[in-house]
């Protein structure tokens, strides 16, 4: 059996088309056009590529792009001044500070300095705290992009989480920890087992899973032999290793390649949750703009 593919590229393209229509709608109503800002300190090549991709996405959707490229020697106080500008600028409806930051800058302090309403990644402590506290009510704050992307990818392929046993592999703040809070909200109503590299009975738990979300960042940690034939598998973890033949960096996921010939559904890596994460970051920016516009209309 060959698994059906959870196609992140095609799904992300659809979401971006939907977002473009939403952007034009609020602009026609009189709202400020949504704007995504990126803050890059230094000249890390991988970070520069990542940031450039974000601005290409913005332009495709009709979102204004705001770039703040700062030299490596930028002090933390100087960086805070830039964040003050973005926090107060109505043209910026969401922004990210590209990681990693230079070692002389306190990353946690910088991330906490972001206005929670403009937190495009959805990882500000205030937003994560509101997610944990909010089980039943609609979410009105930015959500973590990658967990949201994994859930949206599955749902748009007709996969229902209600009543399902989801085994999450990985306890990181980017995916593992917040996705458990998202999936146990009543709107998804899943039962979640959060595992990690220190879980001693991981194969046993994987065999019980209706849905597996692998996000530990350990190549091929999840073995095909431990997965059910009716399982849905989302391979989120990314490890870059040099190809012994070409020397170029090659992406490896957390799921053993043989799984694609056993399970019911699988997301490719790359090409699965990755493109969706970029699309959902754009959605956070648009939704922040929509919320700001609704608040402005309510004042009139």
């Amino acid at each position: 059996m060959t698994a059906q593919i959870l196609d992140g590229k095609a799904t992300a393209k659809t979401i971006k088309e939907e977002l473009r229509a939403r952007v034009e709608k609020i602009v026609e109503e009189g709202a400020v056009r949504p704007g995504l800002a990126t803050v890059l300190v230094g000249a890390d090549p991988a970070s520069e590529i990542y940031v450039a991709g974000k601005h290409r996405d913005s332009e495709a959707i009709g979102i204004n792009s705001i770039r703040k490229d700062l030299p490596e020697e930028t002090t933390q106080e100087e960086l805070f001044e830039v964040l003050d500008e973005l926090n107060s600028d109505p043209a910026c409806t969401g922004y990210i500070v590209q990681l990693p930051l230079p070692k002389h800058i306190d990353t946690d302090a910088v991330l906490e300095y972001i206005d929670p309403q403009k937190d495009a990644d959805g990882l500000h402590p205030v937003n994560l705290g509101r997610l944990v506290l909010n089980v039943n009510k609609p979410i009105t704050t930015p959500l973590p992009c990658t967990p949201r992307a994994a859930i949206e990818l599955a749902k748009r392929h007709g996969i229902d989480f209600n009543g399902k046993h989801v085994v999450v592999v990985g306890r990181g703040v980017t995916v593992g920890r917040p996705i458990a809070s998202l999936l146990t909200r009543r709107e998804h109503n899943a039962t979640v087992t959060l595992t990690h590299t220190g879980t001693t009975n991981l194969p046993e738990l994987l065999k019980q899973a209706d849905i597996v979300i692998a996000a530990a960042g350990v190549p091929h940690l999840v073995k095909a032999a431990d997965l059910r034939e009716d399982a849905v598998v989302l391979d989120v973890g990314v490890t870059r290793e040099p190809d012994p033949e070409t020397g170029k960096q090659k992406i490896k996921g957390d799921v053993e390649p043989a799984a694609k010939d056993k399970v019911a559904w699988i997301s490719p890596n790359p090409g699965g949750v990755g493109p969706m994460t970029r699309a959902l970051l754009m959605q956070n920016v648009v939704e922040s703009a929509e919320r700001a516009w609704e608040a402005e209309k309510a004042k009139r």
Side-chain angles (χ1 to χ4, degrees):
M1 182 180 74
T2 300
Q4 296 186 77
I5 299 299
L6 295 163
D7 189 339
K9 291 182 179 179
T11 309
K13 182 179 178 181
T14 298
I15 290 173
K16 290 174 185 177
E17 290 169 354
E18 295 169 355
L19 290 175
R20 185 172 184 84
R22 288 167 64 176
V23 167
E24 294 310 316
K25 179 178 182 295
I26 63 169
V27 170
E28 287 172 3
E29 290 179 0
V32 172
R33 184 174 292 277
L36 169 68
T38 60
V39 181
L40 176 63
V41 183
D44 176 71
S47 294
E48 289 180 336
I49 292 171
Y50 184 85
V51 166
K54 292 290 176 286
H55 288 284
R56 285 196 299 272
D57 288 344
S58 297
E59 291 164 9
I61 294 167
I63 296 174
N64 285 333
S65 289
I66 304 167
R67 289 193 64 154
K68 301 288 185 178
D69 294 349
L70 308 174
E72 180 84 15
E73 61 272 17
T74 298
T75 66
Q76 186 158 311
E77 290 70 25
E78 289 169 337
L79 178 54
F80 281 165
E81 290 176 5
V82 172
L83 302 191
D84 279 330
E85 292 177 16
L86 295 176
N87 285 340
S88 60
D89 184 359
C92 169
T93 58
Y95 72 93
I96 63 168
V97 177
Q98 180 61 35
L99 303 179
L101 288 167
K103 292 182 179 179
H104 65 275
I105 294 177
D106 184 339
T107 297
D108 289 343
V110 169
L111 295 181
E112 290 181 23
Y113 205 84
I114 297 170
D115 179 349
Q117 294 297 328
K118 296 187 177 186
D119 170 29
D121 276 328
L123 295 175
H124 191 284
V126 168
N127 292 330
L128 290 176
R130 287 171 175 163
L131 169 60
V132 171
L133 290 171
N134 188 347
V135 176
N136 300 308
K137 298 178 182 177
I139 295 286
T140 58
T141 52
L143 289 169
C145 293
T146 304
R148 194 179 188 189
I151 294 169
E152 190 70 15
L153 178 59
K155 288 180 66 178
R156 288 194 180 229
H157 285 80
I159 294 162
D160 187 4
F161 288 92
N162 184 37
K164 300 295 175 58
H165 181 197
V166 181
V167 172
V168 177
V169 185
R171 54 187 162 185
V173 70
T174 305
V175 183
R177 302 177 83 81
I179 203 168
S181 296
L182 271 172
L183 285 171
T184 51
R185 282 174 49 78
R186 290 192 188 276
E187 65 176 307
H188 301 302
N189 213 35
T191 297
V192 178
T193 299
L194 182 58
T195 70
H196 46 78
T197 52
T199 302
T200 56
N201 64 334
L202 181 59
E204 175 189 339
L205 293 170
L206 290 171
K207 288 182 173 73
Q208 299 172 18
D210 300 304
I211 301 171
V212 174
I213 299 174
V218 178
H220 307 166
L221 175 64
V222 175
K223 307 300 182 186
D226 299 328
L227 300 169
R228 289 170 21 188
E229 292 184 355
D230 62 345
V232 176
V233 180
L234 290 123
D235 189 359
V236 184
V238 172
T239 304
R240 289 178 173 83
E241 296 181 348
D243 188 312
E245 295 182 2
T246 66
K248 295 181 179 179
Q249 292 290 310
K250 186 176 181 180
I251 291 178
K252 288 188 177 181
D254 283 7
V255 179
E256 188 178 38
K260 72 180 186 301
D261 296 320
K262 181 179 181 181
V263 301
W265 288 90
I266 195 166
S267 68
N269 194 347
V273 176
M276 289 291 292
T277 296
R278 290 172 57 172
L280 269 295
L281 183 141
M282 296 297 134
Q283 187 160 320
N284 272 347
V285 174
V286 173
E287 287 177 347
S288 291
E290 289 172 335
R291 285 190 291 267
W293 176 233
E294 289 302 318
E296 176 65 25
K297 289 193 293 184
K299 293 178 183 177
R300 297 182 177 182

